[in-house]
Amino acid sequence: MESITGKESLRELLVDWRRSGDHIALVPTMGNLHDGHMSLIALARQHAERIVVSVFVNPTQFAAGEDFAEYPRTLQRDARRLKQAKVDVMFAPDVDAIYPYGLESATTVHVPFLTNELCGASRPGHFDGVTSVVSRLLCLVQPDVVLFGQKDYQQQAIIRRMVTDLCMPIEVVTGPTQRDPDGLALSSRNQYLSDSERAAAPTLYAALKEVGEALETGSEDYTGLEAAALATLKAAGFQADYLSIRRADGLGPPGRDSDELVVLAAAWLGKTRLIDNIVVHI
Ligand code: PAF
């Protein structure tokens, strides 16, 4: 595996691969790799001969007061895992390589679709930061396919919209959420949880599943189901930002004609914000 920090060295390698007709997959990450990321890499292998994993803690997607400074940075360990997984390139640029004109005057890619609701309502500017960095990574790597995890359901939906709207010739693939045996979705932020918070954390997935089961058995009382799940979370010590039932495609409000729904939630346990979702076929 090559570990690359500079854009030029990356470009040279990509030119060689394209000349040989290899397909390229990009897995964008902020590092601190866990089995969720590794499952995306395994999925990437089904789509391309060459795999690039970017490791970049993107400052523009953290609002003031969020955990940018504390976000776990484990580059050496990440490099070892990626090497074992036979990834071709770990691309770990510094901030200047991605934002050469500085953060204040950086070009922003704004996708109006969905940006200010759900997670966007409680994290203003977050998705602009995500689309701004992902568009740069896509321009740099020009992959055939880019992969994201389903845990960040809203993120992948916004990126899909951006890719279509900007006519990027790239396939977006979403890989399934990976979970601990008790159901907690894998996330770099899980390591912030205290022992008692970790014990309470699986209630988030349990609450989503309960809503999912009610929807599968025909309930259309969306507001009632959301309220009951929010009460379950509160009783387990969570402070919820939202819990919402939406159409899986496009995240609009559910209706009689919907056959695939997604139940999404974001909730705080102490100082840790967890997100999760489940897709429900009805
Ligand atoms: O999902 C993440 O880890 C980040 O939002 C991403 C897509 C790597 C952009 O920084």
Side-chain angles (χ1 to χ4, degrees):
M1 182 188 80
E2 296 217 36
S3 178
I4 293 181
T5 53
K7 290 183 283 191
E8 275 317 309
S9 333
L10 178 67
R11 280 191 187 115
E12 281 164 22
L13 202 65
L14 294 167
V15 167
D16 287 346
W17 291 351
R18 281 198 199 92
R19 264 202 209 109
S20 1
D22 288 346
H23 296 96
I24 301 168
L26 170 65
V27 182
T29 80
M30 297 207 299
N32 194 238
L33 302 177
H34 50 66
D35 287 351
H37 298 110
M38 302 319 285
S39 76
L40 287 181
I41 291 166
L43 189 56
R45 212 165 280 300
Q46 296 173 21
H47 292 264
E49 293 81 29
R50 299 288 187 176
I51 301 177
V52 178
V53 176
S54 61
V55 176
F56 180 66
V57 185
N58 172 37
T60 65
Q61 68 188 77
F62 293 81
E66 290 190 348
D67 58 341
F68 175 66
E70 302 92 72
Y71 198 86
R73 289 153 171 90
T74 52
L75 198 60
Q76 302 300 325
R77 194 176 65 93
D78 292 345
R80 284 197 296 274
R81 283 200 87 167
L82 295 178
K83 196 171 166 195
Q84 269 169 12
K86 300 201 171 13
V87 161
D88 294 277
V89 167
M90 176 178 83
F91 177 54
D94 63 17
V95 173
D96 291 347
I98 298 295
Y99 297 106
Y101 298 105
L103 298 179
E104 289 304 311
S105 58
T107 301
T108 302
V109 177
H110 172 67
V111 178
F113 169 75
L114 285 177
T115 302
N116 296 322
E117 46 187 301
L118 301 170
C119 282
S122 32
R123 301 188 69 189
H126 168 68
F127 287 116
D128 285 351
V130 170
T131 46
S132 295
V133 75
V134 170
S135 53
R136 282 166 171 77
L137 293 168
L138 294 177
C139 285
L140 273 166
V141 178
Q142 296 179 26
D144 299 280
V145 54
V146 62
L147 294 98
F148 299 94
Q150 188 197 312
K151 184 176 76 66
D152 296 282
Y153 196 92
Q154 186 178 5
Q155 167 172 279
Q156 59 84 43
I158 290 172
I159 289 167
R160 281 175 186 278
R161 174 62 69 101
M162 175 185 80
V163 164
T164 305
D165 215 7
L166 298 183
C167 310
M168 295 174 165
I170 299 168
E171 183 187 356
V172 180
V173 170
T174 304
T177 302
Q178 302 299 309
R179 300 181 180 280
D180 276 336
D182 61 8
L184 178 64
L186 298 189
S187 163
S188 298
R189 291 190 168 99
N190 292 352
Q191 62 193 264
Y192 299 157
L193 296 167
S194 68
D195 288 349
S196 61
E197 289 164 352
R198 177 64 190 79
T203 304
L204 181 56
Y205 181 51
L208 295 173
K209 276 205 309 192
E210 212 166 303
V211 176
E213 277 156 25
L215 293 170
E216 275 165 358
T217 50
S219 174
E220 290 180 357
D221 177 15
Y222 307 122
T223 317
L225 292 173
E226 288 168 356
L230 285 167
T232 303
L233 290 178
K234 194 168 177 203
F238 283 87
Q239 262 202 300
D241 277 350
Y242 66 84
L243 185 142
S244 187
I245 303 168
R246 300 286 179 108
R247 285 171 196 267
D249 186 19
L251 292 176
R256 286 248 150 100
D257 59 334
S258 334
D259 54 9
E260 210 182 25
L261 298 174
V262 56
V263 192
L264 311 107
W268 292 83
L269 263 180
K271 293 193 170 132
T272 308
R273 187 174 184 276
L274 300 177
I275 60 172
D276 202 351
N277 65 80
I278 54 162
V279 172
V280 184
H281 303 273
I282 51 175

PDB file of all heavy atoms in Angstrom, residues 239-274:
ATOM      1  N   GLN A 239     -30.990  12.507  25.174  1.00  0.00           N
ATOM      2  CA  GLN A 239     -31.641  13.775  24.794  1.00  0.00           C
ATOM      3  C   GLN A 239     -31.685  13.771  23.278  1.00  0.00           C
ATOM      4  O   GLN A 239     -30.627  13.895  22.627  1.00  0.00           O
ATOM      5  CB  GLN A 239     -30.793  14.940  25.250  1.00  0.00           C
ATOM      6  CG  GLN A 239     -31.253  15.555  26.560  1.00  0.00           C
ATOM      7  CD  GLN A 239     -30.751  16.965  26.657  1.00  0.00           C
ATOM      8  OE1 GLN A 239     -29.533  17.160  26.633  1.00  0.00           O
ATOM      9  NE2 GLN A 239     -31.648  17.921  26.750  1.00  0.00           N
ATOM     10  N   ALA A 240     -32.868  13.597  22.725  1.00  0.00           N
ATOM     11  CA  ALA A 240     -32.950  13.409  21.264  1.00  0.00           C
ATOM     12  C   ALA A 240     -32.942  14.744  20.529  1.00  0.00           C
ATOM     13  O   ALA A 240     -33.584  15.702  20.964  1.00  0.00           O
ATOM     14  CB  ALA A 240     -34.207  12.627  20.934  1.00  0.00           C
ATOM     15  N   ASP A 241     -32.209  14.785  19.411  1.00  0.00           N
ATOM     16  CA  ASP A 241     -32.346  15.922  18.477  1.00  0.00           C
ATOM     17  C   ASP A 241     -33.586  15.708  17.617  1.00  0.00           C
ATOM     18  O   ASP A 241     -34.346  16.618  17.361  1.00  0.00           O
ATOM     19  CB  ASP A 241     -31.120  16.020  17.555  1.00  0.00           C
ATOM     20  CG  ASP A 241     -29.960  16.759  18.215  1.00  0.00           C
ATOM     21  OD1 ASP A 241     -30.162  17.353  19.283  1.00  0.00           O
ATOM     22  OD2 ASP A 241     -28.846  16.718  17.655  1.00  0.00           O
ATOM     23  N   TYR A 242     -33.776  14.471  17.161  1.00  0.00           N
ATOM     24  CA  TYR A 242     -34.971  14.147  16.378  1.00  0.00           C
ATOM     25  C   TYR A 242     -35.109  12.637  16.265  1.00  0.00           C
ATOM     26  O   TYR A 242     -34.126  11.888  16.440  1.00  0.00           O
ATOM     27  CB  TYR A 242     -34.910  14.756  14.956  1.00  0.00           C
ATOM     28  CG  TYR A 242     -33.821  14.175  14.086  1.00  0.00           C
ATOM     29  CD1 TYR A 242     -34.017  12.997  13.367  1.00  0.00           C
ATOM     30  CD2 TYR A 242     -32.577  14.786  14.006  1.00  0.00           C
ATOM     31  CE1 TYR A 242     -33.001  12.443  12.604  1.00  0.00           C
ATOM     32  CE2 TYR A 242     -31.558  14.238  13.239  1.00  0.00           C
ATOM     33  CZ  TYR A 242     -31.771  13.071  12.544  1.00  0.00           C
ATOM     34  OH  TYR A 242     -30.767  12.510  11.790  1.00  0.00           O
ATOM     35  N   LEU A 243     -36.310  12.203  16.011  1.00  0.00           N
ATOM     36  CA  LEU A 243     -36.563  10.822  15.563  1.00  0.00           C
ATOM     37  C   LEU A 243     -37.671  10.953  14.537  1.00  0.00           C
ATOM     38  O   LEU A 243     -38.741  11.496  14.836  1.00  0.00           O
ATOM     39  CB  LEU A 243     -36.973   9.919  16.717  1.00  0.00           C
ATOM     40  CG  LEU A 243     -37.126   8.442  16.316  1.00  0.00           C
ATOM     41  CD1 LEU A 243     -36.626   7.506  17.389  1.00  0.00           C
ATOM     42  CD2 LEU A 243     -38.548   8.102  15.913  1.00  0.00           C
ATOM     43  N   SER A 244     -37.421  10.532  13.334  1.00  0.00           N
ATOM     44  CA  SER A 244     -38.335  10.878  12.254  1.00  0.00           C
ATOM     45  C   SER A 244     -38.523   9.712  11.291  1.00  0.00           C
ATOM     46  O   SER A 244     -37.569   9.020  10.937  1.00  0.00           O
ATOM     47  CB  SER A 244     -37.748  12.090  11.506  1.00  0.00           C
ATOM     48  OG  SER A 244     -38.653  12.571  10.563  1.00  0.00           O
ATOM     49  N   ILE A 245     -39.786   9.539  10.886  1.00  0.00           N
ATOM     50  CA  ILE A 245     -40.101   8.514   9.879  1.00  0.00           C
ATOM     51  C   ILE A 245     -40.207   9.228   8.532  1.00  0.00           C
ATOM     52  O   ILE A 245     -40.976  10.196   8.400  1.00  0.00           O
ATOM     53  CB  ILE A 245     -41.435   7.811  10.213  1.00  0.00           C
ATOM     54  CG1 ILE A 245     -41.381   7.198  11.613  1.00  0.00           C
ATOM     55  CG2 ILE A 245     -41.773   6.748   9.160  1.00  0.00           C
ATOM     56  CD1 ILE A 245     -42.729   6.734  12.153  1.00  0.00           C
ATOM     57  N   ARG A 246     -39.440   8.784   7.574  1.00  0.00           N
ATOM     58  CA  ARG A 246     -39.419   9.433   6.252  1.00  0.00           C
ATOM     59  C   ARG A 246     -39.499   8.381   5.160  1.00  0.00           C
ATOM     60  O   ARG A 246     -39.281   7.199   5.401  1.00  0.00           O
ATOM     61  CB  ARG A 246     -38.110  10.215   6.063  1.00  0.00           C
ATOM     62  CG  ARG A 246     -37.850  11.321   7.076  1.00  0.00           C
ATOM     63  CD  ARG A 246     -38.737  12.498   6.813  1.00  0.00           C
ATOM     64  NE  ARG A 246     -38.541  13.574   7.773  1.00  0.00           N
ATOM     65  CZ  ARG A 246     -37.950  14.730   7.498  1.00  0.00           C
ATOM     66  NH1 ARG A 246     -37.481  14.963   6.285  1.00  0.00           N
ATOM     67  NH2 ARG A 246     -37.854  15.669   8.409  1.00  0.00           N
ATOM     68  N   ARG A 247     -39.746   8.844   3.949  1.00  0.00           N
ATOM     69  CA  ARG A 247     -39.611   7.951   2.794  1.00  0.00           C
ATOM     70  C   ARG A 247     -38.130   7.630   2.614  1.00  0.00           C
ATOM     71  O   ARG A 247     -37.283   8.533   2.737  1.00  0.00           O
ATOM     72  CB  ARG A 247     -40.067   8.660   1.515  1.00  0.00           C
ATOM     73  CG  ARG A 247     -41.542   8.793   1.377  1.00  0.00           C
ATOM     74  CD  ARG A 247     -41.855   9.694   0.188  1.00  0.00           C
ATOM     75  NE  ARG A 247     -43.237  10.129   0.291  1.00  0.00           N
ATOM     76  CZ  ARG A 247     -44.253   9.498  -0.283  1.00  0.00           C
ATOM     77  NH1 ARG A 247     -44.047   8.444  -1.048  1.00  0.00           N
ATOM     78  NH2 ARG A 247     -45.475   9.936  -0.122  1.00  0.00           N
ATOM     79  N   ALA A 248     -37.836   6.373   2.315  1.00  0.00           N
ATOM     80  CA  ALA A 248     -36.423   5.992   2.153  1.00  0.00           C
ATOM     81  C   ALA A 248     -35.805   6.715   0.958  1.00  0.00           C
ATOM     82  O   ALA A 248     -34.639   7.106   0.981  1.00  0.00           O
ATOM     83  CB  ALA A 248     -36.314   4.483   1.967  1.00  0.00           C
ATOM     84  N   ASP A 249     -36.603   6.908  -0.074  1.00  0.00           N
ATOM     85  CA  ASP A 249     -36.110   7.561  -1.268  1.00  0.00           C
ATOM     86  C   ASP A 249     -36.460   9.049  -1.192  1.00  0.00           C
ATOM     87  O   ASP A 249     -37.631   9.405  -1.269  1.00  0.00           O
ATOM     88  CB  ASP A 249     -36.776   6.908  -2.498  1.00  0.00           C
ATOM     89  CG  ASP A 249     -36.199   7.458  -3.779  1.00  0.00           C
ATOM     90  OD1 ASP A 249     -35.097   8.028  -3.735  1.00  0.00           O
ATOM     91  OD2 ASP A 249     -36.859   7.330  -4.827  1.00  0.00           O
ATOM     92  N   GLY A 250     -35.488   9.884  -0.990  1.00  0.00           N
ATOM     93  CA  GLY A 250     -35.728  11.328  -1.010  1.00  0.00           C
ATOM     94  C   GLY A 250     -36.053  11.928   0.340  1.00  0.00           C
ATOM     95  O   GLY A 250     -36.091  13.137   0.494  1.00  0.00           O
ATOM     96  N   LEU A 251     -36.331  11.094   1.340  1.00  0.00           N
ATOM     97  CA  LEU A 251     -36.547  11.537   2.725  1.00  0.00           C
ATOM     98  C   LEU A 251     -37.710  12.510   2.915  1.00  0.00           C
ATOM     99  O   LEU A 251     -37.729  13.297   3.865  1.00  0.00           O
ATOM    100  CB  LEU A 251     -35.245  12.141   3.298  1.00  0.00           C
ATOM    101  CG  LEU A 251     -34.115  11.133   3.523  1.00  0.00           C
ATOM    102  CD1 LEU A 251     -32.848  11.825   3.982  1.00  0.00           C
ATOM    103  CD2 LEU A 251     -34.507  10.100   4.542  1.00  0.00           C
ATOM    104  N   GLY A 252     -38.683  12.442   2.021  1.00  0.00           N
ATOM    105  CA  GLY A 252     -39.898  13.249   2.206  1.00  0.00           C
ATOM    106  C   GLY A 252     -40.802  12.603   3.242  1.00  0.00           C
ATOM    107  O   GLY A 252     -40.536  11.495   3.732  1.00  0.00           O
ATOM    108  N   PRO A 253     -41.903  13.302   3.610  1.00  0.00           N
ATOM    109  CA  PRO A 253     -42.818  12.729   4.591  1.00  0.00           C
ATOM    110  C   PRO A 253     -43.474  11.456   4.073  1.00  0.00           C
ATOM    111  O   PRO A 253     -43.759  11.343   2.878  1.00  0.00           O
ATOM    112  CB  PRO A 253     -43.873  13.836   4.792  1.00  0.00           C
ATOM    113  CG  PRO A 253     -43.621  14.846   3.744  1.00  0.00           C
ATOM    114  CD  PRO A 253     -42.290  14.615   3.124  1.00  0.00           C
ATOM    115  N   PRO A 254     -43.702  10.485   4.959  1.00  0.00           N
ATOM    116  CA  PRO A 254     -44.290   9.222   4.494  1.00  0.00           C
ATOM    117  C   PRO A 254     -45.754   9.405   4.101  1.00  0.00           C
ATOM    118  O   PRO A 254     -46.428  10.295   4.610  1.00  0.00           O
ATOM    119  CB  PRO A 254     -44.191   8.322   5.728  1.00  0.00           C
ATOM    120  CG  PRO A 254     -44.130   9.258   6.889  1.00  0.00           C
ATOM    121  CD  PRO A 254     -43.492  10.515   6.407  1.00  0.00           C
ATOM    122  N   GLY A 255     -46.207   8.557   3.206  1.00  0.00           N
ATOM    123  CA  GLY A 255     -47.604   8.631   2.791  1.00  0.00           C
ATOM    124  C   GLY A 255     -48.114   7.249   2.477  1.00  0.00           C
ATOM    125  O   GLY A 255     -47.364   6.273   2.564  1.00  0.00           O
ATOM    126  N   ARG A 256     -49.400   7.180   2.111  1.00  0.00           N
ATOM    127  CA  ARG A 256     -50.050   5.883   1.845  1.00  0.00           C
ATOM    128  C   ARG A 256     -49.331   5.089   0.757  1.00  0.00           C
ATOM    129  O   ARG A 256     -49.302   3.866   0.785  1.00  0.00           O
ATOM    130  CB  ARG A 256     -51.492   6.155   1.387  1.00  0.00           C
ATOM    131  CG  ARG A 256     -52.396   6.575   2.518  1.00  0.00           C
ATOM    132  CD  ARG A 256     -53.415   5.473   2.767  1.00  0.00           C
ATOM    133  NE  ARG A 256     -53.809   5.439   4.172  1.00  0.00           N
ATOM    134  CZ  ARG A 256     -54.917   5.965   4.648  1.00  0.00           C
ATOM    135  NH1 ARG A 256     -55.752   6.565   3.843  1.00  0.00           N
ATOM    136  NH2 ARG A 256     -55.198   5.883   5.936  1.00  0.00           N
ATOM    137  N   ASP A 257     -48.731   5.824  -0.211  1.00  0.00           N
ATOM    138  CA  ASP A 257     -48.106   5.146  -1.355  1.00  0.00           C
ATOM    139  C   ASP A 257     -46.663   4.723  -1.077  1.00  0.00           C
ATOM    140  O   ASP A 257     -46.010   4.144  -1.943  1.00  0.00           O
ATOM    141  CB  ASP A 257     -48.138   6.081  -2.576  1.00  0.00           C
ATOM    142  CG  ASP A 257     -47.413   7.384  -2.298  1.00  0.00           C
ATOM    143  OD1 ASP A 257     -47.334   7.785  -1.110  1.00  0.00           O
ATOM    144  OD2 ASP A 257     -46.899   7.993  -3.259  1.00  0.00           O
ATOM    145  N   SER A 258     -46.147   5.006   0.138  1.00  0.00           N
ATOM    146  CA  SER A 258     -44.726   4.667   0.370  1.00  0.00           C
ATOM    147  C   SER A 258     -44.580   3.170   0.617  1.00  0.00           C
ATOM    148  O   SER A 258     -45.322   2.596   1.403  1.00  0.00           O
ATOM    149  CB  SER A 258     -44.173   5.382   1.611  1.00  0.00           C
ATOM    150  OG  SER A 258     -44.846   6.547   1.902  1.00  0.00           O
ATOM    151  N   ASP A 259     -43.622   2.538  -0.062  1.00  0.00           N
ATOM    152  CA  ASP A 259     -43.392   1.122   0.245  1.00  0.00           C
ATOM    153  C   ASP A 259     -42.049   0.888   0.911  1.00  0.00           C
ATOM    154  O   ASP A 259     -41.747  -0.206   1.369  1.00  0.00           O
ATOM    155  CB  ASP A 259     -43.571   0.237  -0.990  1.00  0.00           C
ATOM    156  CG  ASP A 259     -42.730   0.697  -2.149  1.00  0.00           C
ATOM    157  OD1 ASP A 259     -41.892   1.590  -1.936  1.00  0.00           O
ATOM    158  OD2 ASP A 259     -42.908   0.154  -3.259  1.00  0.00           O
ATOM    159  N   GLU A 260     -41.248   1.939   1.001  1.00  0.00           N
ATOM    160  CA  GLU A 260     -39.971   1.815   1.716  1.00  0.00           C
ATOM    161  C   GLU A 260     -39.787   3.079   2.548  1.00  0.00           C
ATOM    162  O   GLU A 260     -39.766   4.192   2.009  1.00  0.00           O
ATOM    163  CB  GLU A 260     -38.834   1.661   0.705  1.00  0.00           C
ATOM    164  CG  GLU A 260     -37.703   0.857   1.248  1.00  0.00           C
ATOM    165  CD  GLU A 260     -36.545   0.733   0.256  1.00  0.00           C
ATOM    166  OE1 GLU A 260     -36.387   1.600  -0.627  1.00  0.00           O
ATOM    167  OE2 GLU A 260     -35.805  -0.225   0.377  1.00  0.00           O
ATOM    168  N   LEU A 261     -39.678   2.873   3.842  1.00  0.00           N
ATOM    169  CA  LEU A 261     -39.522   4.011   4.749  1.00  0.00           C
ATOM    170  C   LEU A 261     -38.171   3.898   5.443  1.00  0.00           C
ATOM    171  O   LEU A 261     -37.556   2.821   5.475  1.00  0.00           O
ATOM    172  CB  LEU A 261     -40.636   4.018   5.792  1.00  0.00           C
ATOM    173  CG  LEU A 261     -42.055   4.162   5.249  1.00  0.00           C
ATOM    174  CD1 LEU A 261     -43.084   4.016   6.364  1.00  0.00           C
ATOM    175  CD2 LEU A 261     -42.240   5.521   4.561  1.00  0.00           C
ATOM    176  N   VAL A 262     -37.731   5.025   6.020  1.00  0.00           N
ATOM    177  CA  VAL A 262     -36.532   4.971   6.861  1.00  0.00           C
ATOM    178  C   VAL A 262     -36.875   5.692   8.166  1.00  0.00           C
ATOM    179  O   VAL A 262     -37.554   6.715   8.148  1.00  0.00           O
ATOM    180  CB  VAL A 262     -35.302   5.588   6.144  1.00  0.00           C
ATOM    181  CG1 VAL A 262     -35.537   7.014   5.697  1.00  0.00           C
ATOM    182  CG2 VAL A 262     -34.053   5.519   7.012  1.00  0.00           C
ATOM    183  N   VAL A 263     -36.462   5.085   9.264  1.00  0.00           N
ATOM    184  CA  VAL A 263     -36.657   5.712  10.571  1.00  0.00           C
ATOM    185  C   VAL A 263     -35.272   6.192  11.000  1.00  0.00           C
ATOM    186  O   VAL A 263     -34.346   5.388  11.126  1.00  0.00           O
ATOM    187  CB  VAL A 263     -37.213   4.717  11.607  1.00  0.00           C
ATOM    188  CG1 VAL A 263     -37.686   5.447  12.850  1.00  0.00           C
ATOM    189  CG2 VAL A 263     -38.327   3.866  11.013  1.00  0.00           C
ATOM    190  N   LEU A 264     -35.153   7.506  11.177  1.00  0.00           N
ATOM    191  CA  LEU A 264     -33.835   8.088  11.475  1.00  0.00           C
ATOM    192  C   LEU A 264     -33.875   8.775  12.833  1.00  0.00           C
ATOM    193  O   LEU A 264     -34.909   9.360  13.205  1.00  0.00           O
ATOM    194  CB  LEU A 264     -33.454   9.157  10.451  1.00  0.00           C
ATOM    195  CG  LEU A 264     -33.591   8.849   8.967  1.00  0.00           C
ATOM    196  CD1 LEU A 264     -34.779   9.593   8.390  1.00  0.00           C
ATOM    197  CD2 LEU A 264     -32.339   9.240   8.227  1.00  0.00           C
ATOM    198  N   ALA A 265     -32.740   8.729  13.530  1.00  0.00           N
ATOM    199  CA  ALA A 265     -32.692   9.426  14.815  1.00  0.00           C
ATOM    200  C   ALA A 265     -31.286   9.935  15.082  1.00  0.00           C
ATOM    201  O   ALA A 265     -30.290   9.374  14.609  1.00  0.00           O
ATOM    202  CB  ALA A 265     -33.120   8.489  15.946  1.00  0.00           C
ATOM    203  N   ALA A 266     -31.244  11.026  15.841  1.00  0.00           N
ATOM    204  CA  ALA A 266     -29.983  11.530  16.396  1.00  0.00           C
ATOM    205  C   ALA A 266     -30.276  11.871  17.837  1.00  0.00           C
ATOM    206  O   ALA A 266     -31.294  12.521  18.133  1.00  0.00           O
ATOM    207  CB  ALA A 266     -29.511  12.763  15.645  1.00  0.00           C
ATOM    208  N   ALA A 267     -29.431  11.417  18.736  1.00  0.00           N
ATOM    209  CA  ALA A 267     -29.703  11.644  20.156  1.00  0.00           C
ATOM    210  C   ALA A 267     -28.392  11.694  20.932  1.00  0.00           C
ATOM    211  O   ALA A 267     -27.411  11.033  20.563  1.00  0.00           O
ATOM    212  CB  ALA A 267     -30.599  10.536  20.698  1.00  0.00           C
ATOM    213  N   TRP A 268     -28.413  12.501  21.955  1.00  0.00           N
ATOM    214  CA  TRP A 268     -27.219  12.678  22.795  1.00  0.00           C
ATOM    215  C   TRP A 268     -27.294  11.771  24.006  1.00  0.00           C
ATOM    216  O   TRP A 268     -28.354  11.649  24.635  1.00  0.00           O
ATOM    217  CB  TRP A 268     -27.147  14.112  23.304  1.00  0.00           C
ATOM    218  CG  TRP A 268     -26.885  15.130  22.233  1.00  0.00           C
ATOM    219  CD1 TRP A 268     -27.802  15.703  21.408  1.00  0.00           C
ATOM    220  CD2 TRP A 268     -25.621  15.701  21.889  1.00  0.00           C
ATOM    221  NE1 TRP A 268     -27.196  16.583  20.552  1.00  0.00           N
ATOM    222  CE2 TRP A 268     -25.845  16.610  20.835  1.00  0.00           C
ATOM    223  CE3 TRP A 268     -24.316  15.525  22.359  1.00  0.00           C
ATOM    224  CZ2 TRP A 268     -24.815  17.346  20.252  1.00  0.00           C
ATOM    225  CZ3 TRP A 268     -23.293  16.269  21.774  1.00  0.00           C
ATOM    226  CH2 TRP A 268     -23.548  17.155  20.739  1.00  0.00           C
ATOM    227  N   LEU A 269     -26.156  11.176  24.327  1.00  0.00           N
ATOM    228  CA  LEU A 269     -25.973  10.508  25.616  1.00  0.00           C
ATOM    229  C   LEU A 269     -24.828  11.266  26.273  1.00  0.00           C
ATOM    230  O   LEU A 269     -23.679  11.155  25.806  1.00  0.00           O
ATOM    231  CB  LEU A 269     -25.570   9.054  25.424  1.00  0.00           C
ATOM    232  CG  LEU A 269     -26.655   7.978  25.481  1.00  0.00           C
ATOM    233  CD1 LEU A 269     -26.060   6.609  25.259  1.00  0.00           C
ATOM    234  CD2 LEU A 269     -27.467   8.017  26.755  1.00  0.00           C
ATOM    235  N   GLY A 270     -25.126  12.071  27.262  1.00  0.00           N
ATOM    236  CA  GLY A 270     -24.088  12.943  27.820  1.00  0.00           C
ATOM    237  C   GLY A 270     -23.567  13.852  26.729  1.00  0.00           C
ATOM    238  O   GLY A 270     -24.342  14.529  26.052  1.00  0.00           O
ATOM    239  N   LYS A 271     -22.247  13.793  26.489  1.00  0.00           N
ATOM    240  CA  LYS A 271     -21.643  14.706  25.498  1.00  0.00           C
ATOM    241  C   LYS A 271     -21.466  14.039  24.137  1.00  0.00           C
ATOM    242  O   LYS A 271     -20.779  14.562  23.259  1.00  0.00           O
ATOM    243  CB  LYS A 271     -20.277  15.168  26.010  1.00  0.00           C
ATOM    244  CG  LYS A 271     -20.412  16.054  27.243  1.00  0.00           C
ATOM    245  CD  LYS A 271     -19.102  16.754  27.534  1.00  0.00           C
ATOM    246  CE  LYS A 271     -19.334  17.812  28.596  1.00  0.00           C
ATOM    247  NZ  LYS A 271     -18.393  17.800  29.674  1.00  0.00           N
ATOM    248  N   THR A 272     -22.045  12.851  23.973  1.00  0.00           N
ATOM    249  CA  THR A 272     -21.845  12.108  22.719  1.00  0.00           C
ATOM    250  C   THR A 272     -23.134  12.103  21.902  1.00  0.00           C
ATOM    251  O   THR A 272     -24.190  11.712  22.402  1.00  0.00           O
ATOM    252  CB  THR A 272     -21.417  10.657  23.003  1.00  0.00           C
ATOM    253  OG1 THR A 272     -20.305  10.697  23.892  1.00  0.00           O
ATOM    254  CG2 THR A 272     -21.028   9.922  21.736  1.00  0.00           C
ATOM    255  N   ARG A 273     -22.998  12.530  20.657  1.00  0.00           N
ATOM    256  CA  ARG A 273     -24.169  12.524  19.767  1.00  0.00           C
ATOM    257  C   ARG A 273     -24.103  11.270  18.901  1.00  0.00           C
ATOM    258  O   ARG A 273     -23.136  11.055  18.169  1.00  0.00           O
ATOM    259  CB  ARG A 273     -24.147  13.779  18.885  1.00  0.00           C
ATOM    260  CG  ARG A 273     -25.396  13.977  18.044  1.00  0.00           C
ATOM    261  CD  ARG A 273     -25.290  15.331  17.340  1.00  0.00           C
ATOM    262  NE  ARG A 273     -26.486  15.655  16.588  1.00  0.00           N
ATOM    263  CZ  ARG A 273     -26.734  15.243  15.351  1.00  0.00           C
ATOM    264  NH1 ARG A 273     -25.859  14.455  14.728  1.00  0.00           N
ATOM    265  NH2 ARG A 273     -27.837  15.595  14.728  1.00  0.00           N
ATOM    266  N   LEU A 274     -25.147  10.432  19.025  1.00  0.00           N
ATOM    267  CA  LEU A 274     -25.213   9.199  18.239  1.00  0.00           C
ATOM    268  C   LEU A 274     -26.276   9.365  17.162  1.00  0.00           C
ATOM    269  O   LEU A 274     -27.315   9.992  17.402  1.00  0.00           O
ATOM    270  CB  LEU A 274     -25.584   8.019  19.144  1.00  0.00           C
ATOM    271  CG  LEU A 274     -24.630   7.708  20.303  1.00  0.00           C
ATOM    272  CD1 LEU A 274     -25.184   6.560  21.152  1.00  0.00           C
ATOM    273  CD2 LEU A 274     -23.233   7.358  19.798  1.00  0.00           C
TER     274      LEU A 274
END
